[in-house]
Amino acid sequence: AVEVGSTSEALEAAKAGADIVLLDNFTPQGALSAAAEVKAAHPQVTVEVSGGINMEVLPHFLGSHIDVISMGCLTHGATSLDFALRL
């Protein structure tokens, strides 16, 4: 797996044999475009996006060329619950 910050880096990583290309901190349009280019040249590569994705912007990242979407807000934003079991 290789984390990349641009389309050219993504294509280079896929060409070099990366199984997973992680598009980090891309805009929705940039991620969709980069994913399409990677899949066109290397259809076997898994394309993942992450970085700043939350429930509000998630729909903008959905596309047929993106295989995985990582959302840190699922763990970073989780609230705790204080409880006890008394027997």
Side-chain angles (χ1 to χ4, degrees):
V2 178
E3 183 177 311
V4 299
S6 69
T7 301
S8 62
E9 289 178 356
L11 290 168
E12 183 179 345
K15 183 179 179 181
D19 295 325
I20 301 170
V21 173
L22 171 62
L23 308 176
D24 191 34
N25 292 314
F26 277 62
T27 64
Q29 186 57 40
L32 293 169
S33 175
E37 287 190 47
V38 170
K39 287 292 192 172
H42 307 279
Q44 78 285 0
V45 171
T46 299
V47 176
E48 179 177 355
V49 294
S50 72
I53 301 172
N54 57 43
M55 294 303 287
E56 291 177 18
V57 299
L58 175 63
H60 302 287
F61 284 91
L62 302 176
S64 60
H65 302 295
I66 295 175
D67 301 302
V68 179
I69 299 176
S70 296
M71 297 173 53
C73 67
L74 295 175
T75 55
H76 301 299
T79 57
S80 62
L81 173 64
D82 185 18
F83 72 96
L85 296 175
R86 296 174 195 247
L87 300 175

Coordinates of all heavy atoms in Angstrom, one line a residue:
A1 N 0.9 -1.2 0.0 CA 0.0 0.0 0.0 C 0.9 1.2 0.0 O 1.9 1.3 0.7 CB -0.9 0.0 1.2
V2 N 0.5 2.2 -0.8 CA 1.3 3.5 -0.9 C 0.3 4.6 -0.8 O -0.7 4.7 -1.4 CB 2.0 3.6 -2.3 CG1 2.8 4.9 -2.4 CG2 2.9 2.4 -2.4
E3 N 0.7 5.6 0.1 CA -0.1 6.8 0.3 C 0.5 7.9 -0.6 O 1.7 8.1 -0.7 CB 0.0 7.3 1.8 CG -0.8 8.5 2.1 CD -0.7 8.9 3.5 OE1 -0.8 8.0 4.4 OE2 -0.4 10.1 3.8
V4 N -0.4 8.5 -1.4 CA 0.0 9.5 -2.4 C -0.7 10.8 -2.2 O -1.8 10.8 -1.6 CB -0.2 9.0 -3.8 CG1 0.7 7.7 -4.0 CG2 -1.6 8.7 -4.1
G5 N -0.1 11.9 -2.7 CA -0.7 13.2 -2.6 C -1.1 13.8 -3.9 O -1.5 15.0 -4.0
S6 N -0.9 13.1 -5.0 CA -1.2 13.6 -6.4 C -1.5 12.5 -7.3 O -1.2 11.3 -7.1 CB 0.0 14.4 -6.9 OG 1.1 13.6 -7.2
T7 N -2.1 12.8 -8.4 CA -2.5 11.8 -9.4 C -1.2 11.2 -10.0 O -1.1 10.0 -10.2 CB -3.3 12.5 -10.6 OG1 -4.5 13.0 -10.0 CG2 -3.7 11.4 -11.6
S8 N -0.2 12.0 -10.3 CA 1.0 11.5 -10.9 C 1.7 10.5 -9.9 O 2.2 9.5 -10.3 CB 2.0 12.6 -11.2 OG 2.4 13.4 -10.1
E9 N 1.7 10.8 -8.6 CA 2.2 9.8 -7.6 C 1.4 8.5 -7.6 O 2.0 7.5 -7.4 CB 2.3 10.5 -6.2 CG 3.3 11.5 -6.0 CD 3.2 12.2 -4.6 OE1 2.3 11.8 -3.8 OE2 4.1 13.0 -4.4
A10 N 0.1 8.7 -7.7 CA -0.8 7.5 -7.7 C -0.5 6.6 -8.9 O -0.4 5.4 -8.8 CB -2.2 7.9 -7.7
L11 N -0.3 7.2 -10.1 CA 0.0 6.4 -11.3 C 1.4 5.8 -11.2 O 1.6 4.6 -11.6 CB -0.1 7.3 -12.5 CG -1.5 7.7 -12.9 CD1 -1.5 8.8 -13.9 CD2 -2.3 6.5 -13.4
E12 N 2.3 6.5 -10.6 CA 3.7 6.0 -10.4 C 3.7 4.8 -9.4 O 4.3 3.8 -9.7 CB 4.6 7.1 -9.9 CG 6.0 6.7 -9.8 CD 6.9 7.8 -9.3 OE1 6.5 9.0 -9.3 OE2 8.1 7.5 -8.8
A13 N 2.9 4.9 -8.4 CA 2.9 3.8 -7.4 C 2.2 2.6 -8.0 O 2.7 1.5 -7.8 CB 2.1 4.3 -6.1
A14 N 1.1 2.8 -8.7 CA 0.5 1.6 -9.3 C 1.4 1.0 -10.4 O 1.5 -0.3 -10.4 CB -0.8 2.1 -10.0
K15 N 2.1 1.8 -11.1 CA 3.0 1.2 -12.1 C 4.1 0.5 -11.5 O 4.6 -0.6 -12.0 CB 3.6 2.4 -13.0 CG 4.5 1.9 -14.1 CD 5.0 3.1 -14.9 CE 5.9 2.6 -16.0 NZ 6.4 3.7 -16.8
A16 N 4.6 0.9 -10.3 CA 5.7 0.2 -9.6 C 5.2 -1.1 -8.9 O 6.0 -1.8 -8.4 CB 6.2 1.2 -8.6
G17 N 3.9 -1.3 -8.9 CA 3.4 -2.6 -8.4 C 2.6 -2.5 -7.1 O 2.4 -3.5 -6.4
A18 N 2.3 -1.3 -6.6 CA 1.5 -1.2 -5.4 C 0.1 -1.9 -5.6 O -0.5 -1.7 -6.6 CB 1.3 0.3 -5.0
D19 N -0.3 -2.6 -4.6 CA -1.6 -3.3 -4.6 C -2.7 -2.3 -4.3 O -3.8 -2.4 -4.7 CB -1.6 -4.5 -3.7 CG -0.7 -5.6 -4.0 OD1 -0.5 -5.8 -5.3 OD2 -0.1 -6.2 -3.1
I20 N -2.4 -1.4 -3.4 CA -3.4 -0.4 -2.9 C -2.7 1.0 -3.0 O -1.6 1.2 -2.6 CB -3.7 -0.7 -1.4 CG1 -4.3 -2.1 -1.2 CG2 -4.7 0.4 -0.9 CD1 -4.4 -2.5 0.3
V21 N -3.5 1.9 -3.6 CA -3.1 3.3 -3.7 C -4.0 4.1 -2.9 O -5.2 4.1 -3.1 CB -3.1 3.8 -5.2 CG1 -2.8 5.2 -5.2 CG2 -2.0 3.0 -6.0
L22 N -3.5 4.8 -1.8 CA -4.3 5.6 -0.9 C -4.2 7.0 -1.3 O -3.1 7.6 -1.2 CB -3.8 5.4 0.5 CG -4.4 6.3 1.6 CD1 -5.9 6.1 1.7 CD2 -3.7 6.0 2.9
L23 N -5.3 7.6 -1.8 CA -5.3 9.0 -2.2 C -5.7 9.8 -0.9 O -6.8 9.7 -0.4 CB -6.4 9.2 -3.2 CG -6.4 8.3 -4.4 CD1 -7.6 8.6 -5.3 CD2 -5.1 8.5 -5.2
D24 N -4.7 10.5 -0.4 CA -4.8 11.2 0.9 C -5.0 12.7 0.7 O -4.3 13.3 0.1 CB -3.6 10.9 1.8 CG -3.7 11.4 3.2 OD1 -4.9 11.3 3.7 OD2 -2.7 11.8 3.8
N25 N -6.1 13.2 1.4 CA -6.4 14.6 1.4 C -6.7 15.2 0.0 O -6.3 16.3 -0.3 CB -5.3 15.4 2.1 CG -5.3 15.1 3.6 OD1 -6.3 15.1 4.3 ND2 -4.1 14.8 4.1
F26 N -7.4 14.4 -0.8 CA -7.8 14.9 -2.2 C -9.1 15.6 -2.0 O -9.9 15.2 -1.1 CB -7.9 13.7 -3.1 CG -6.6 13.3 -3.8 CD1 -5.6 12.7 -3.0 CD2 -6.5 13.3 -5.2 CE1 -4.4 12.3 -3.6 CE2 -5.3 12.9 -5.8 CZ -4.3 12.4 -5.0
T27 N -9.4 16.5 -2.9 CA -10.8 17.0 -3.0 C -11.6 15.9 -3.6 O -11.1 15.0 -4.2 CB -10.8 18.2 -3.9 OG1 -10.5 17.8 -5.3 CG2 -9.9 19.3 -3.5
P28 N -13.0 16.0 -3.5 CA -13.8 14.9 -4.1 C -13.6 14.8 -5.6 O -13.4 13.7 -6.1 CB -15.2 15.4 -3.8 CG -15.1 16.2 -2.5 CD -13.7 16.9 -2.6
Q29 N -13.5 15.9 -6.3 CA -13.3 15.8 -7.7 C -11.9 15.3 -8.1 O -11.8 14.5 -9.0 CB -13.5 17.2 -8.4 CG -13.5 17.2 -9.9 CD -14.5 16.2 -10.5 OE1 -15.6 16.1 -10.1 NE2 -14.1 15.5 -11.5
G30 N -10.9 15.7 -7.3 CA -9.6 15.3 -7.5 C -9.5 13.8 -7.3 O -8.8 13.0 -8.0
A31 N -10.1 13.3 -6.2 CA -10.1 11.8 -5.9 C -10.8 11.0 -7.0 O -10.3 10.0 -7.4 CB -10.8 11.6 -4.6
L32 N -11.9 11.5 -7.5 CA -12.7 10.8 -8.5 C -11.9 10.7 -9.8 O -11.8 9.7 -10.5 CB -14.0 11.4 -8.7 CG -15.0 11.3 -7.6 CD1 -16.2 12.2 -7.8 CD2 -15.4 9.9 -7.3
S33 N -11.3 11.8 -10.1 CA -10.4 11.9 -11.3 C -9.2 11.0 -11.3 O -8.9 10.3 -12.2 CB -10.0 13.4 -11.6 OG -9.2 13.4 -12.7
A34 N -8.5 11.1 -10.1 CA -7.3 10.3 -9.9 C -7.6 8.8 -9.9 O -6.9 8.0 -10.5 CB -6.6 10.7 -8.7
A35 N -8.7 8.5 -9.3 CA -9.1 7.0 -9.2 C -9.4 6.5 -10.6 O -9.1 5.4 -10.9 CB -10.3 6.9 -8.3
A36 N -10.1 7.3 -11.4 CA -10.4 6.9 -12.7 C -9.2 6.7 -13.6 O -9.1 5.7 -14.3 CB -11.3 7.9 -13.4
E37 N -8.2 7.5 -13.4 CA -7.0 7.4 -14.2 C -6.2 6.2 -13.7 O -5.6 5.4 -14.6 CB -6.1 8.6 -14.0 CG -6.6 9.8 -14.8 CD -5.6 11.0 -14.8 OE1 -4.4 10.7 -15.1 OE2 -6.0 12.1 -14.6
V38 N -6.1 5.9 -12.4 CA -5.4 4.7 -11.9 C -6.1 3.5 -12.4 O -5.5 2.5 -12.9 CB -5.4 4.8 -10.4 CG1 -4.9 3.4 -9.8 CG2 -4.4 5.9 -9.9
K39 N -7.4 3.4 -12.3 CA -8.2 2.2 -12.7 C -8.1 2.0 -14.2 O -8.0 0.8 -14.7 CB -9.6 2.3 -12.3 CG -9.9 2.1 -10.8 CD -9.6 0.7 -10.4 CE -10.1 0.5 -9.0 NZ -9.9 -0.9 -8.6
A40 N -8.0 3.0 -15.0 CA -7.9 2.9 -16.5 C -6.6 2.2 -16.8 O -6.5 1.4 -17.7 CB -8.0 4.2 -17.1
A41 N -5.5 2.6 -16.1 CA -4.2 2.1 -16.4 C -3.9 0.8 -15.7 O -3.1 0.0 -16.2 CB -3.1 3.2 -16.1
H42 N -4.4 0.7 -14.5 CA -4.1 -0.5 -13.7 C -5.4 -1.0 -13.0 O -5.6 -0.7 -11.8 CB -3.1 -0.1 -12.6 CG -1.8 0.5 -13.2 ND1 -0.8 -0.3 -13.8 CD2 -1.5 1.8 -13.3 CE1 0.1 0.6 -14.2 NE2 -0.3 1.8 -14.0
P43 N -6.3 -1.7 -13.7 CA -7.6 -2.0 -13.1 C -7.5 -2.9 -11.9 O -8.5 -3.0 -11.1 CB -8.3 -2.8 -14.2 CG -7.4 -2.8 -15.4 CD -6.1 -2.1 -15.0
Q44 N -6.4 -3.6 -11.7 CA -6.3 -4.5 -10.5 C -6.0 -3.8 -9.2 O -6.1 -4.4 -8.1 CB -5.3 -5.6 -10.8 CG -3.8 -5.2 -10.7 CD -3.3 -4.3 -11.8 OE1 -4.0 -4.0 -12.7 NE2 -2.0 -3.9 -11.6
V45 N -5.6 -2.6 -9.3 CA -5.1 -1.8 -8.1 C -6.4 -1.4 -7.3 O -7.4 -0.9 -7.9 CB -4.3 -0.6 -8.5 CG1 -4.0 0.3 -7.3 CG2 -3.0 -1.1 -9.1
T46 N -6.3 -1.6 -6.0 CA -7.4 -1.1 -5.1 C -7.1 0.4 -4.8 O -6.0 0.8 -4.4 CB -7.4 -1.9 -3.8 OG1 -7.6 -3.2 -4.1 CG2 -8.4 -1.3 -2.8
V47 N -8.1 1.2 -5.0 CA -8.0 2.7 -4.8 C -8.8 3.0 -3.5 O -10.0 2.7 -3.4 CB -8.5 3.5 -6.0 CG1 -8.5 5.0 -5.7 CG2 -7.7 3.2 -7.2
E48 N -8.1 3.6 -2.6 CA -8.7 4.0 -1.3 C -8.5 5.5 -1.1 O -7.5 6.1 -1.6 CB -7.9 3.3 -0.1 CG -8.4 3.7 1.2 CD -7.7 2.9 2.3 OE1 -6.9 2.0 2.0 OE2 -8.0 3.2 3.5
V49 N -9.5 6.2 -0.5 CA -9.4 7.6 -0.3 C -9.6 7.8 1.2 O -10.2 7.1 1.9 CB -10.5 8.5 -1.0 CG1 -10.2 8.4 -2.5 CG2 -11.9 8.0 -0.7
S50 N -8.9 8.9 1.7 CA -8.9 9.2 3.2 C -8.5 10.6 3.3 O -8.0 11.3 2.4 CB -8.1 8.3 4.0 OG -6.7 8.6 3.8
G51 N -8.7 11.1 4.5 CA -8.3 12.5 4.9 C -9.4 13.5 4.8 O -9.8 13.9 3.8
G52 N -9.9 13.8 6.0 CA -10.9 14.9 6.1 C -12.3 14.4 5.6 O -13.2 15.3 5.3
I53 N -12.5 13.1 5.5 CA -13.8 12.7 5.0 C -14.7 12.4 6.2 O -14.4 11.7 7.1 CB -13.7 11.4 4.2 CG1 -12.8 11.6 3.0 CG2 -15.1 10.9 3.7 CD1 -12.4 10.4 2.2
N54 N -15.9 13.0 6.2 CA -16.9 12.8 7.2 C -18.3 12.6 6.5 O -18.4 12.5 5.3 CB -17.0 14.1 8.2 CG -17.3 15.3 7.4 OD1 -18.1 15.4 6.5 ND2 -16.6 16.4 7.8
M55 N -19.3 12.4 7.3 CA -20.6 12.0 6.8 C -21.2 13.1 5.9 O -21.9 12.8 4.9 CB -21.6 11.7 7.9 CG -21.2 10.5 8.7 SD -21.0 9.0 7.8 CE -22.7 8.7 7.4
E56 N -20.8 14.4 6.1 CA -21.3 15.4 5.2 C -20.8 15.4 3.8 O -21.5 15.7 2.9 CB -21.0 16.8 5.9 CG -21.8 17.0 7.1 CD -21.4 18.4 7.8 OE1 -20.8 19.2 7.1 OE2 -21.7 18.5 9.0
V57 N -19.5 15.1 3.7 CA -18.8 15.1 2.4 C -18.7 13.7 1.7 O -18.4 13.6 0.6 CB -17.4 15.8 2.4 CG1 -17.5 17.2 2.9 CG2 -16.5 15.0 3.3
L58 N -19.0 12.7 2.5 CA -18.9 11.3 2.0 C -19.6 11.1 0.6 O -19.0 10.5 -0.3 CB -19.5 10.3 3.0 CG -19.6 8.9 2.6 CD1 -18.2 8.3 2.3 CD2 -20.3 8.0 3.6
P59 N -20.9 11.6 0.4 CA -21.5 11.3 -0.9 C -20.7 11.9 -2.1 O -20.8 11.3 -3.2 CB -22.8 12.1 -0.8 CG -23.1 12.1 0.7 CD -21.8 12.3 1.4
H60 N -19.9 12.9 -1.8 CA -19.1 13.5 -2.9 C -17.9 12.6 -3.4 O -17.4 12.8 -4.4 CB -18.6 14.9 -2.6 CG -19.8 15.8 -2.2 ND1 -20.6 16.4 -3.2 CD2 -20.2 16.3 -1.0 CE1 -21.5 17.1 -2.6 NE2 -21.3 17.1 -1.3
F61 N -17.6 11.7 -2.5 CA -16.4 10.8 -2.8 C -16.9 9.5 -3.4 O -16.0 8.6 -3.8 CB -15.6 10.5 -1.5 CG -14.7 11.7 -1.1 CD1 -15.2 12.6 -0.3 CD2 -13.5 11.8 -1.7 CE1 -14.4 13.7 0.1 CE2 -12.6 12.8 -1.3 CZ -13.1 13.8 -0.4
L62 N -18.2 9.2 -3.5 CA -18.7 7.9 -4.0 C -18.5 7.9 -5.5 O -19.0 8.8 -6.2 CB -20.1 7.7 -3.6 CG -20.4 7.7 -2.1 CD1 -21.9 7.6 -1.9 CD2 -19.6 6.6 -1.4
G63 N -17.9 6.9 -6.0 CA -17.7 6.7 -7.4 C -17.3 5.3 -7.8 O -16.8 4.5 -6.9
S64 N -17.5 4.9 -9.0 CA -17.2 3.5 -9.4 C -15.8 3.1 -9.4 O -15.5 1.9 -9.4 CB -17.8 3.3 -10.8 OG -17.2 4.1 -11.7
H65 N -14.9 4.1 -9.3 CA -13.4 3.7 -9.4 C -12.8 3.8 -8.0 O -11.6 3.4 -7.8 CB -12.7 4.7 -10.3 CG -13.2 4.7 -11.7 ND1 -13.1 3.6 -12.5 CD2 -13.8 5.6 -12.4 CE1 -13.7 3.8 -13.7 NE2 -14.1 5.1 -13.7
I66 N -13.5 4.2 -7.0 CA -13.0 4.2 -5.6 C -13.5 3.0 -4.9 O -14.7 2.7 -4.8 CB -13.5 5.5 -4.9 CG1 -12.8 6.7 -5.5 CG2 -13.1 5.4 -3.4 CD1 -13.2 8.0 -5.0
D67 N -12.6 2.2 -4.4 CA -12.9 0.9 -3.8 C -13.2 1.0 -2.3 O -14.0 0.3 -1.7 CB -11.8 -0.1 -4.0 CG -11.6 -0.4 -5.5 OD1 -12.5 -0.8 -6.2 OD2 -10.4 -0.1 -6.0
V68 N -12.4 1.8 -1.6 CA -12.4 1.9 -0.1 C -12.4 3.4 0.3 O -11.7 4.2 -0.3 CB -11.2 1.2 0.5 CG1 -11.3 1.3 2.0 CG2 -11.2 -0.2 0.1
I69 N -13.2 3.7 1.3 CA -13.2 5.1 1.8 C -13.0 5.0 3.3 O -13.7 4.3 4.0 CB -14.6 5.8 1.6 CG1 -14.8 6.0 0.1 CG2 -14.5 7.2 2.3 CD1 -16.1 6.6 -0.3
S70 N -11.9 5.6 3.8 CA -11.6 5.6 5.2 C -12.0 6.9 5.9 O -11.7 7.9 5.3 CB -10.0 5.4 5.4 OG -9.6 4.1 4.9
M71 N -12.7 6.7 7.0 CA -13.2 7.9 7.7 C -12.7 7.9 9.1 O -13.3 7.1 10.0 CB -14.7 7.9 7.6 CG -15.3 8.0 6.2 SD -17.1 7.8 6.1 CE -17.7 9.0 7.3
G72 N -11.7 8.6 9.4 CA -11.2 8.7 10.8 C -12.2 9.2 11.8 O -12.1 9.0 13.0
C73 N -13.2 10.0 11.3 CA -14.2 10.5 12.2 C -15.0 9.5 12.9 O -15.6 9.7 14.0 CB -15.1 11.5 11.5 SG -16.2 10.7 10.2
L74 N -15.0 8.3 12.4 CA -15.7 7.2 13.0 C -15.1 6.8 14.4 O -15.8 6.4 15.3 CB -15.7 5.9 12.1 CG -16.5 6.1 10.8 CD1 -16.4 4.8 10.0 CD2 -18.0 6.4 11.1
T75 N -13.7 6.9 14.5 CA -13.1 6.7 15.7 C -12.7 7.9 16.5 O -12.8 8.0 17.7 CB -11.8 5.8 15.5 OG1 -11.0 6.4 14.6 CG2 -12.2 4.4 15.0
H76 N -12.3 9.0 15.8 CA -11.9 10.2 16.4 C -13.0 10.9 17.1 O -12.9 11.6 18.1 CB -11.2 11.1 15.5 CG -10.0 10.6 14.8 ND1 -8.9 10.2 15.5 CD2 -9.7 10.3 13.5 CE1 -8.0 9.7 14.7 NE2 -8.4 9.8 13.4
G77 N -14.2 10.8 16.5 CA -15.4 11.5 17.0 C -16.3 10.7 17.9 O -17.3 11.2 18.3
A78 N -15.9 9.5 18.2 CA -16.7 8.6 19.0 C -16.7 9.1 20.5 O -15.7 9.5 21.0 CB -16.2 7.2 19.0
T79 N -17.9 9.2 21.1 CA -18.0 9.6 22.4 C -18.0 8.4 23.4 O -18.3 7.3 22.9 CB -19.3 10.4 22.7 OG1 -20.4 9.6 22.3 CG2 -19.4 11.7 21.9
S80 N -17.6 8.6 24.5 CA -17.5 7.5 25.5 C -18.7 7.4 26.3 O -19.5 8.4 26.5 CB -16.3 7.7 26.4 OG -16.4 8.9 27.2
L81 N -19.0 6.3 26.9 CA -20.1 6.1 27.8 C -19.6 5.5 29.1 O -18.9 4.5 29.1 CB -21.1 5.1 27.1 CG -22.3 4.6 27.9 CD1 -23.2 5.8 28.2 CD2 -23.1 3.6 27.2
D82 N -19.9 6.2 30.2 CA -19.5 5.7 31.5 C -20.6 4.8 32.1 O -21.7 5.3 32.3 CB -19.2 6.9 32.4 CG -18.6 6.5 33.7 OD1 -18.1 5.4 33.8 OD2 -18.7 7.3 34.6
F83 N -20.3 3.6 32.3 CA -21.3 2.7 32.9 C -20.6 1.6 33.7 O -19.4 1.4 33.6 CB -22.2 2.0 31.8 CG -21.5 1.0 31.0 CD1 -21.6 -0.4 31.4 CD2 -20.7 1.3 29.9 CE1 -21.0 -1.4 30.6 CE2 -20.1 0.3 29.1 CZ -20.2 -1.0 29.5
A84 N -21.4 1.0 34.6 CA -20.8 0.0 35.5 C -21.8 -1.2 35.6 O -23.0 -1.0 35.5 CB -20.5 0.5 36.9
L85 N -21.3 -2.4 35.7 CA -22.2 -3.6 35.9 C -22.0 -4.0 37.4 O -20.9 -4.3 37.8 CB -21.8 -4.7 35.0 CG -21.9 -4.4 33.5 CD1 -21.4 -5.6 32.7 CD2 -23.4 -4.3 33.2
R86 N -23.1 -4.0 38.1 CA -23.1 -4.4 39.5 C -23.9 -5.6 39.6 O -25.1 -5.7 39.2 CB -23.6 -3.3 40.4 CG -22.7 -2.1 40.3 CD -23.4 -0.9 41.1 NE -22.7 0.3 40.8 CZ -22.0 1.0 41.6 NH1 -21.8 0.6 42.8 NH2 -21.4 2.1 41.2
L87 N -23.3 -6.7 40.2 CA -24.0 -7.9 40.4 C -24.3 -8.1 41.8 O -23.7 -7.8 42.7 CB -23.2 -9.1 39.9 CG -22.8 -9.0 38.4 CD1 -21.9 -10.2 38.0 CD2 -24.1 -9.1 37.6

